Amino acid sequence: HYLISRGVADNQIYNIPNGIDVPKEYKKQHYIPNGKILFVGNFDQGAIKGLDLLVNAFIHLKRKECNCKLIIVGRGPIDKYIKLLDAANIDSQEYTFMGPSEDVFSYFSESNVYVLPSRAEGFSNSLLEALLWGMPCVSTDISSARELIVDKYNGRIAEVDNYISLAECIQYCLNNKNIEEWPLNSYIRIKENFSLDVVAKKYSELYQKLILN
């Protein structure tokens, strides 16, 4: 939409997503229900990352007596989020700010739902990785979310800038037992659309088209 608004013709715009190395065969992950809600990302960019929305969604869930915990992995100032949690009388044992990590996959295996609460975002590699890992995922309705997630097929799509909608989608993932097929659905969707072979083919087709034109 931005490029079109700047006068670029629609037929001159090509959308080729990031690719990922997809295993040849699907391997089911086994999760122990623990109510852990995971955020992975650097939030030092401010409000655009939506961490305040996730914190407020978490507070909303705790007020509804949801048995859940919040795990934040990434770089950024945490004081204002801790103040929000303290003001809501959330026990400090119920949330953890882990700081940056080189091994986010260990958090994938130890958590029950991954959340991308951004107000705006390019193509999210972390969401792509979490889906391929087999995590139930919730994302706000940002540009790349609907490329990766079909709502209630392999994840949930929440309204942008709406922590109530975010909380409802998280609770759906934590409480709904009818999501066992989501990891397989994500694997198939990613393999068909975002594997390195598929993305390489898209680049090759684009180059051929440009050469012929």
Side-chain angles (χ1 to χ4, degrees):
H1 295 297
Y2 172 77
L3 292 175
I4 292 173
S5 71
R6 304 298 292 181
V8 179
D10 185 58
N11 63 359
Q12 296 297 310
I13 299 172
Y14 303 92
N15 180 22
I16 299 179
N18 294 345
I20 192 169
D21 188 11
V22 179
K24 291 184 178 180
E25 296 183 358
Y26 169 70
K27 182 179 179 181
K28 185 175 182 179
Q29 301 291 337
H30 297 282
Y31 293 101
I32 300 173
N34 57 22
K36 288 185 178 179
I37 302 164
L38 177 65
F39 169 92
V40 176
N42 294 324
F43 47 93
D44 49 4
Q45 299 174 38
I48 195 169
K49 287 296 183 180
L51 187 55
D52 60 310
L53 298 172
L54 177 54
V55 169
N56 280 310
F58 176 67
I59 291 170
H60 180 75
L61 290 169
K62 297 304 289 184
R63 286 174 175 165
K64 294 177 66 177
E65 299 185 354
C66 177
N67 183 21
C68 56
K69 294 186 177 182
L70 180 61
I71 311 298
I72 308 295
V73 180
R75 183 183 67 247
I78 65 174
D79 289 352
K80 65 179 179 180
Y81 305 113
I82 292 177
K83 287 179 180 178
L84 273 175
L85 292 159
D86 286 348
N89 295 316
I90 304 298
D91 192 313
S92 61
Q93 299 297 313
E94 299 295 301
Y95 60 88
T96 306
F97 288 87
M98 302 301 301
S101 174
E102 296 291 329
D103 181 21
V104 297
F105 297 103
S106 63
Y107 294 101
F108 288 169
S109 63
E110 296 171 0
S111 305
N112 284 168
V113 57
Y114 174 91
V115 182
L116 183 70
S118 299
R119 290 180 169 90
E121 186 90 25
F123 190 89
S124 174
N125 287 324
S126 61
L127 179 59
L128 177 62
E129 290 169 348
L131 286 165
L132 183 57
W133 186 266
M135 289 197 71
C137 293
V138 174
S139 174
T140 46
D141 197 2
I142 53 173
S143 59
S144 63
R146 291 192 182 274
E147 293 182 58
L148 294 166
I149 295 175
V150 176
D151 195 40
K152 296 185 179 180
Y153 172 78
N154 68 324
R156 291 303 315 269
I157 301 286
E159 294 178 14
V160 176
D161 212 5
N162 184 336
Y163 76 86
I164 299 293
S165 174
L166 195 64
E168 289 172 349
C169 289
I170 293 169
Q171 190 162 39
Y172 183 97
C173 294
L174 292 176
N175 295 348
N176 197 329
K177 296 181 179 180
N178 299 318
I179 63 173
E180 293 183 355
E181 294 300 315
W182 284 14
L184 177 58
N185 294 342
S186 288
Y187 173 81
I188 293 170
R189 185 168 179 79
I190 292 170
K191 187 174 184 179
E192 290 178 349
N193 296 282
F194 303 98
S195 68
L196 295 177
D197 288 343
V198 169
V199 172
K201 183 179 179 181
K202 289 182 178 179
Y203 273 109
S204 178
E205 290 172 348
L206 174 58
Y207 292 150
Q208 290 298 321
K209 183 175 181 178
L210 293 173
I211 290 170
L212 292 174
N213 289 342

mmCIF file of all heavy atoms in Angstrom, residues 135-169:
data_model
loop_
_atom_site.group_PDB
_atom_site.id
_atom_site.type_symbol
_atom_site.label_atom_id
_atom_site.label_comp_id
_atom_site.label_asym_id
_atom_site.label_seq_id
_atom_site.Cartn_x
_atom_site.Cartn_y
_atom_site.Cartn_z
ATOM 1 N N MET A 135 4.631 -24.300 17.600
ATOM 2 C CA MET A 135 3.965 -23.600 18.687
ATOM 3 C C MET A 135 2.607 -23.042 18.255
ATOM 4 O O MET A 135 2.479 -22.531 17.141
ATOM 5 C CB MET A 135 4.823 -22.435 19.189
ATOM 6 C CG MET A 135 6.056 -22.825 19.941
ATOM 7 S SD MET A 135 6.689 -21.418 20.896
ATOM 8 C CE MET A 135 5.416 -21.301 22.188
ATOM 9 N N PRO A 136 1.601 -23.107 19.120
ATOM 10 C CA PRO A 136 0.404 -22.302 18.891
ATOM 11 C C PRO A 136 0.808 -20.825 18.966
ATOM 12 O O PRO A 136 1.484 -20.417 19.903
ATOM 13 C CB PRO A 136 -0.507 -22.683 20.068
ATOM 14 C CG PRO A 136 0.007 -24.002 20.548
ATOM 15 C CD PRO A 136 1.488 -23.956 20.311
ATOM 16 N N CYS A 137 0.422 -20.045 17.974
ATOM 17 C CA CYS A 137 0.875 -18.655 17.893
ATOM 18 C C CYS A 137 -0.294 -17.691 17.776
ATOM 19 O O CYS A 137 -1.300 -17.984 17.126
ATOM 20 C CB CYS A 137 1.801 -18.460 16.684
ATOM 21 S SG CYS A 137 3.375 -19.329 16.812
ATOM 22 N N VAL A 138 -0.117 -16.531 18.412
ATOM 23 C CA VAL A 138 -1.062 -15.427 18.301
ATOM 24 C C VAL A 138 -0.290 -14.236 17.749
ATOM 25 O O VAL A 138 0.789 -13.907 18.234
ATOM 26 C CB VAL A 138 -1.666 -15.059 19.665
ATOM 27 C CG1 VAL A 138 -2.534 -13.811 19.542
ATOM 28 C CG2 VAL A 138 -2.459 -16.222 20.243
ATOM 29 N N SER A 139 -0.848 -13.586 16.736
ATOM 30 C CA SER A 139 -0.243 -12.367 16.203
ATOM 31 C C SER A 139 -1.322 -11.323 16.008
ATOM 32 O O SER A 139 -2.473 -11.649 15.695
ATOM 33 C CB SER A 139 0.452 -12.635 14.864
ATOM 34 O OG SER A 139 0.911 -11.420 14.282
ATOM 35 N N THR A 140 -0.942 -10.069 16.206
ATOM 36 C CA THR A 140 -1.830 -8.995 15.787
ATOM 37 C C THR A 140 -1.912 -8.982 14.261
ATOM 38 O O THR A 140 -1.074 -9.566 13.568
ATOM 39 C CB THR A 140 -1.318 -7.643 16.309
ATOM 40 O OG1 THR A 140 0.100 -7.549 16.055
ATOM 41 C CG2 THR A 140 -1.575 -7.498 17.791
ATOM 42 N N ASP A 141 -2.905 -8.309 13.734
ATOM 43 C CA ASP A 141 -3.193 -8.353 12.304
ATOM 44 C C ASP A 141 -2.280 -7.395 11.531
ATOM 45 O O ASP A 141 -2.729 -6.449 10.887
ATOM 46 C CB ASP A 141 -4.660 -7.996 12.081
ATOM 47 C CG ASP A 141 -5.157 -8.403 10.701
ATOM 48 O OD1 ASP A 141 -4.367 -8.985 9.938
ATOM 49 O OD2 ASP A 141 -6.333 -8.135 10.400
ATOM 50 N N ILE A 142 -0.987 -7.671 11.610
ATOM 51 C CA ILE A 142 0.009 -6.884 10.895
ATOM 52 C C ILE A 142 0.204 -7.444 9.493
ATOM 53 O O ILE A 142 -0.375 -8.478 9.146
ATOM 54 C CB ILE A 142 1.354 -6.878 11.662
ATOM 55 C CG1 ILE A 142 1.787 -8.307 11.962
ATOM 56 C CG2 ILE A 142 1.223 -6.062 12.943
ATOM 57 C CD1 ILE A 142 3.153 -8.444 12.544
ATOM 58 N N SER A 143 1.043 -6.793 8.701
ATOM 59 C CA SER A 143 1.133 -7.102 7.276
ATOM 60 C C SER A 143 1.477 -8.551 6.984
ATOM 61 O O SER A 143 0.881 -9.166 6.099
ATOM 62 C CB SER A 143 2.165 -6.182 6.616
ATOM 63 O OG SER A 143 3.439 -6.342 7.222
ATOM 64 N N SER A 144 2.421 -9.126 7.714
ATOM 65 C CA SER A 144 2.859 -10.483 7.384
ATOM 66 C C SER A 144 2.066 -11.565 8.098
ATOM 67 O O SER A 144 2.179 -12.747 7.740
ATOM 68 C CB SER A 144 4.334 -10.650 7.740
ATOM 69 O OG SER A 144 4.548 -10.491 9.140
ATOM 70 N N ALA A 145 1.238 -11.192 9.077
ATOM 71 C CA ALA A 145 0.572 -12.205 9.904
ATOM 72 C C ALA A 145 -0.309 -13.134 9.080
ATOM 73 O O ALA A 145 -0.283 -14.361 9.246
ATOM 74 C CB ALA A 145 -0.248 -11.531 11.001
ATOM 75 N N ARG A 146 -1.097 -12.552 8.178
ATOM 76 C CA ARG A 146 -2.026 -13.384 7.409
ATOM 77 C C ARG A 146 -1.329 -14.178 6.305
ATOM 78 O O ARG A 146 -1.950 -15.071 5.714
ATOM 79 C CB ARG A 146 -3.161 -12.531 6.851
ATOM 80 C CG ARG A 146 -4.083 -12.025 7.944
ATOM 81 C CD ARG A 146 -5.364 -11.417 7.423
ATOM 82 N NE ARG A 146 -6.185 -10.917 8.500
ATOM 83 C CZ ARG A 146 -7.057 -11.660 9.200
ATOM 84 N NH1 ARG A 146 -7.190 -12.930 8.909
ATOM 85 N NH2 ARG A 146 -7.767 -11.126 10.169
ATOM 86 N N GLU A 147 -0.073 -13.860 6.012
ATOM 87 C CA GLU A 147 0.708 -14.731 5.142
ATOM 88 C C GLU A 147 1.066 -16.024 5.859
ATOM 89 O O GLU A 147 1.158 -17.083 5.243
ATOM 90 C CB GLU A 147 1.988 -14.032 4.691
ATOM 91 C CG GLU A 147 1.785 -12.835 3.786
ATOM 92 C CD GLU A 147 3.115 -12.244 3.351
ATOM 93 O OE1 GLU A 147 3.914 -12.979 2.750
ATOM 94 O OE2 GLU A 147 3.373 -11.059 3.632
ATOM 95 N N LEU A 148 1.252 -15.914 7.171
ATOM 96 C CA LEU A 148 1.722 -17.049 7.955
ATOM 97 C C LEU A 148 0.604 -17.789 8.689
ATOM 98 O O LEU A 148 0.663 -19.006 8.840
ATOM 99 C CB LEU A 148 2.759 -16.573 8.980
ATOM 100 C CG LEU A 148 4.073 -16.048 8.400
ATOM 101 C CD1 LEU A 148 4.868 -15.298 9.471
ATOM 102 C CD2 LEU A 148 4.895 -17.195 7.843
ATOM 103 N N ILE A 149 -0.399 -17.047 9.152
ATOM 104 C CA ILE A 149 -1.445 -17.630 9.989
ATOM 105 C C ILE A 149 -2.800 -17.527 9.316
ATOM 106 O O ILE A 149 -3.185 -16.459 8.827
ATOM 107 C CB ILE A 149 -1.505 -16.921 11.362
ATOM 108 C CG1 ILE A 149 -0.220 -17.169 12.155
ATOM 109 C CG2 ILE A 149 -2.717 -17.389 12.168
ATOM 110 C CD1 ILE A 149 -0.169 -16.409 13.471
ATOM 111 N N VAL A 150 -3.514 -18.635 9.309
ATOM 112 C CA VAL A 150 -4.942 -18.643 8.982
ATOM 113 C C VAL A 150 -5.666 -18.809 10.306
ATOM 114 O O VAL A 150 -5.454 -19.793 11.021
ATOM 115 C CB VAL A 150 -5.297 -19.791 8.019
ATOM 116 C CG1 VAL A 150 -6.809 -19.825 7.777
ATOM 117 C CG2 VAL A 150 -4.550 -19.638 6.702
ATOM 118 N N ASP A 151 -6.519 -17.840 10.643
ATOM 119 C CA ASP A 151 -7.127 -17.814 11.969
ATOM 120 C C ASP A 151 -7.893 -19.103 12.268
ATOM 121 O O ASP A 151 -8.723 -19.541 11.486
ATOM 122 C CB ASP A 151 -8.061 -16.610 12.080
ATOM 123 C CG ASP A 151 -8.441 -16.294 13.520
ATOM 124 O OD1 ASP A 151 -7.558 -16.382 14.397
ATOM 125 O OD2 ASP A 151 -9.610 -15.948 13.772
ATOM 126 N N LYS A 152 -7.552 -19.701 13.408
ATOM 127 C CA LYS A 152 -8.136 -20.951 13.914
ATOM 128 C C LYS A 152 -7.785 -22.173 13.070
ATOM 129 O O LYS A 152 -8.338 -23.261 13.292
ATOM 130 C CB LYS A 152 -9.668 -20.829 14.067
ATOM 131 C CG LYS A 152 -10.088 -19.799 15.107
ATOM 132 C CD LYS A 152 -11.603 -19.814 15.311
ATOM 133 C CE LYS A 152 -12.017 -18.790 16.364
ATOM 134 N NZ LYS A 152 -13.488 -18.780 16.572
ATOM 135 N N TYR A 153 -6.856 -22.013 12.133
ATOM 136 C CA TYR A 153 -6.340 -23.136 11.346
ATOM 137 C C TYR A 153 -4.951 -23.527 11.831
ATOM 138 O O TYR A 153 -4.643 -24.695 12.007
ATOM 139 C CB TYR A 153 -6.313 -22.771 9.863
ATOM 140 C CG TYR A 153 -5.630 -23.787 8.977
ATOM 141 C CD1 TYR A 153 -6.278 -24.958 8.608
ATOM 142 C CD2 TYR A 153 -4.331 -23.566 8.500
ATOM 143 C CE1 TYR A 153 -5.652 -25.895 7.798
ATOM 144 C CE2 TYR A 153 -3.708 -24.488 7.686
ATOM 145 C CZ TYR A 153 -4.363 -25.647 7.338
ATOM 146 O OH TYR A 153 -3.728 -26.572 6.535
ATOM 147 N N ASN A 154 -4.117 -22.528 12.059
ATOM 148 C CA ASN A 154 -2.789 -22.810 12.617
ATOM 149 C C ASN A 154 -2.345 -21.730 13.606
ATOM 150 O O ASN A 154 -1.174 -21.657 13.960
ATOM 151 C CB ASN A 154 -1.746 -22.960 11.501
ATOM 152 C CG ASN A 154 -1.459 -21.663 10.775
ATOM 153 O OD1 ASN A 154 -2.342 -20.844 10.576
ATOM 154 N ND2 ASN A 154 -0.218 -21.481 10.368
ATOM 155 N N GLY A 155 -3.292 -20.899 14.053
ATOM 156 C CA GLY A 155 -2.972 -19.844 15.008
ATOM 157 C C GLY A 155 -4.156 -18.916 15.164
ATOM 158 O O GLY A 155 -5.260 -19.211 14.696
ATOM 159 N N ARG A 156 -3.930 -17.791 15.837
ATOM 160 C CA ARG A 156 -4.978 -16.797 16.010
ATOM 161 C C ARG A 156 -4.473 -15.427 15.588
ATOM 162 O O ARG A 156 -3.318 -15.087 15.787
ATOM 163 C CB ARG A 156 -5.440 -16.715 17.473
ATOM 164 C CG ARG A 156 -6.206 -17.922 18.007
ATOM 165 C CD ARG A 156 -7.466 -18.273 17.204
ATOM 166 N NE ARG A 156 -8.291 -17.137 16.852
ATOM 167 C CZ ARG A 156 -9.298 -16.674 17.596
ATOM 168 N NH1 ARG A 156 -9.579 -17.238 18.750
ATOM 169 N NH2 ARG A 156 -10.020 -15.652 17.171
ATOM 170 N N ILE A 157 -5.387 -14.640 15.018
ATOM 171 C CA ILE A 157 -5.111 -13.263 14.611
ATOM 172 C C ILE A 157 -5.926 -12.330 15.502
ATOM 173 O O ILE A 157 -7.159 -12.423 15.548
ATOM 174 C CB ILE A 157 -5.494 -13.020 13.138
ATOM 175 C CG1 ILE A 157 -4.725 -13.954 12.206
ATOM 176 C CG2 ILE A 157 -5.253 -11.554 12.775
ATOM 177 C CD1 ILE A 157 -3.283 -13.612 12.013
ATOM 178 N N ALA A 158 -5.239 -11.451 16.226
ATOM 179 C CA ALA A 158 -5.899 -10.491 17.105
ATOM 180 C C ALA A 158 -5.924 -9.106 16.445
ATOM 181 O O ALA A 158 -5.113 -8.813 15.565
ATOM 182 C CB ALA A 158 -5.174 -10.407 18.452
ATOM 183 N N GLU A 159 -6.842 -8.275 16.887
ATOM 184 C CA GLU A 159 -6.899 -6.912 16.381
ATOM 185 C C GLU A 159 -5.653 -6.146 16.815
ATOM 186 O O GLU A 159 -5.136 -6.335 17.910
ATOM 187 C CB GLU A 159 -8.144 -6.198 16.926
ATOM 188 C CG GLU A 159 -9.456 -6.773 16.425
ATOM 189 C CD GLU A 159 -10.648 -6.061 17.036
ATOM 190 O OE1 GLU A 159 -10.462 -4.972 17.625
ATOM 191 O OE2 GLU A 159 -11.764 -6.585 16.928
ATOM 192 N N VAL A 160 -5.183 -5.271 15.942
ATOM 193 C CA VAL A 160 -4.033 -4.431 16.262
ATOM 194 C C VAL A 160 -4.429 -3.410 17.331
ATOM 195 O O VAL A 160 -5.532 -2.855 17.303
ATOM 196 C CB VAL A 160 -3.527 -3.692 15.000
ATOM 197 C CG1 VAL A 160 -2.382 -2.738 15.352
ATOM 198 C CG2 VAL A 160 -3.051 -4.699 13.953
ATOM 199 N N ASP A 161 -3.529 -3.201 18.290
ATOM 200 C CA ASP A 161 -3.714 -2.171 19.317
ATOM 201 C C ASP A 161 -4.951 -2.422 20.189
ATOM 202 O O ASP A 161 -5.614 -1.481 20.628
ATOM 203 C CB ASP A 161 -3.808 -0.791 18.659
ATOM 204 C CG ASP A 161 -3.229 0.322 19.547
ATOM 205 O OD1 ASP A 161 -2.679 -0.007 20.614
ATOM 206 O OD2 ASP A 161 -3.342 1.492 19.178
ATOM 207 N N ASN A 162 -5.254 -3.703 20.436
ATOM 208 C CA ASN A 162 -6.419 -4.069 21.234
ATOM 209 C C ASN A 162 -6.019 -5.203 22.176
ATOM 210 O O ASN A 162 -6.002 -6.372 21.781
ATOM 211 C CB ASN A 162 -7.564 -4.491 20.314
ATOM 212 C CG ASN A 162 -8.849 -4.784 21.069
ATOM 213 O OD1 ASN A 162 -8.834 -5.113 22.254
ATOM 214 N ND2 ASN A 162 -9.969 -4.692 20.373
ATOM 215 N N TYR A 163 -5.712 -4.855 23.424
ATOM 216 C CA TYR A 163 -5.201 -5.885 24.332
ATOM 217 C C TYR A 163 -6.281 -6.882 24.754
ATOM 218 O O TYR A 163 -5.968 -8.035 25.098
ATOM 219 C CB TYR A 163 -4.534 -5.245 25.550
ATOM 220 C CG TYR A 163 -5.455 -4.679 26.603
ATOM 221 C CD1 TYR A 163 -5.962 -5.479 27.614
ATOM 222 C CD2 TYR A 163 -5.808 -3.327 26.592
ATOM 223 C CE1 TYR A 163 -6.809 -4.959 28.582
ATOM 224 C CE2 TYR A 163 -6.645 -2.802 27.556
ATOM 225 C CZ TYR A 163 -7.145 -3.624 28.550
ATOM 226 O OH TYR A 163 -7.976 -3.111 29.501
ATOM 227 N N ILE A 164 -7.554 -6.481 24.702
ATOM 228 C CA ILE A 164 -8.638 -7.419 25.022
ATOM 229 C C ILE A 164 -8.707 -8.514 23.955
ATOM 230 O O ILE A 164 -8.811 -9.709 24.270
ATOM 231 C CB ILE A 164 -9.997 -6.692 25.126
ATOM 232 C CG1 ILE A 164 -9.962 -5.642 26.246
ATOM 233 C CG2 ILE A 164 -11.115 -7.703 25.367
ATOM 234 C CD1 ILE A 164 -9.840 -6.206 27.633
ATOM 235 N N SER A 165 -8.654 -8.107 22.694
ATOM 236 C CA SER A 165 -8.638 -9.073 21.596
ATOM 237 C C SER A 165 -7.425 -9.985 21.710
ATOM 238 O O SER A 165 -7.523 -11.215 21.503
ATOM 239 C CB SER A 165 -8.618 -8.334 20.250
ATOM 240 O OG SER A 165 -8.472 -9.236 19.173
ATOM 241 N N LEU A 166 -6.286 -9.421 22.058
ATOM 242 C CA LEU A 166 -5.064 -10.208 22.226
ATOM 243 C C LEU A 166 -5.240 -11.232 23.344
ATOM 244 O O LEU A 166 -4.887 -12.409 23.186
ATOM 245 C CB LEU A 166 -3.887 -9.271 22.520
ATOM 246 C CG LEU A 166 -2.477 -9.833 22.390
ATOM 247 C CD1 LEU A 166 -2.178 -10.246 20.956
ATOM 248 C CD2 LEU A 166 -1.447 -8.813 22.853
ATOM 249 N N ALA A 167 -5.802 -10.796 24.463
ATOM 250 C CA ALA A 167 -6.018 -11.687 25.601
ATOM 251 C C ALA A 167 -6.963 -12.830 25.238
ATOM 252 O O ALA A 167 -6.734 -13.991 25.613
ATOM 253 C CB ALA A 167 -6.570 -10.898 26.783
ATOM 254 N N GLU A 168 -8.027 -12.514 24.505
ATOM 255 C CA GLU A 168 -8.989 -13.549 24.117
ATOM 256 C C GLU A 168 -8.348 -14.602 23.220
ATOM 257 O O GLU A 168 -8.620 -15.800 23.359
ATOM 258 C CB GLU A 168 -10.183 -12.903 23.414
ATOM 259 C CG GLU A 168 -11.074 -12.096 24.358
ATOM 260 C CD GLU A 168 -12.144 -11.308 23.632
ATOM 261 O OE1 GLU A 168 -12.071 -11.222 22.378
ATOM 262 O OE2 GLU A 168 -13.044 -10.769 24.303
ATOM 263 N N CYS A 169 -7.492 -14.160 22.311
ATOM 264 C CA CYS A 169 -6.813 -15.102 21.419
ATOM 265 C C CYS A 169 -5.815 -15.970 22.187
ATOM 266 O O CYS A 169 -5.678 -17.168 21.918
ATOM 267 C CB CYS A 169 -6.112 -14.351 20.290
ATOM 268 S SG CYS A 169 -7.230 -13.628 19.071
#
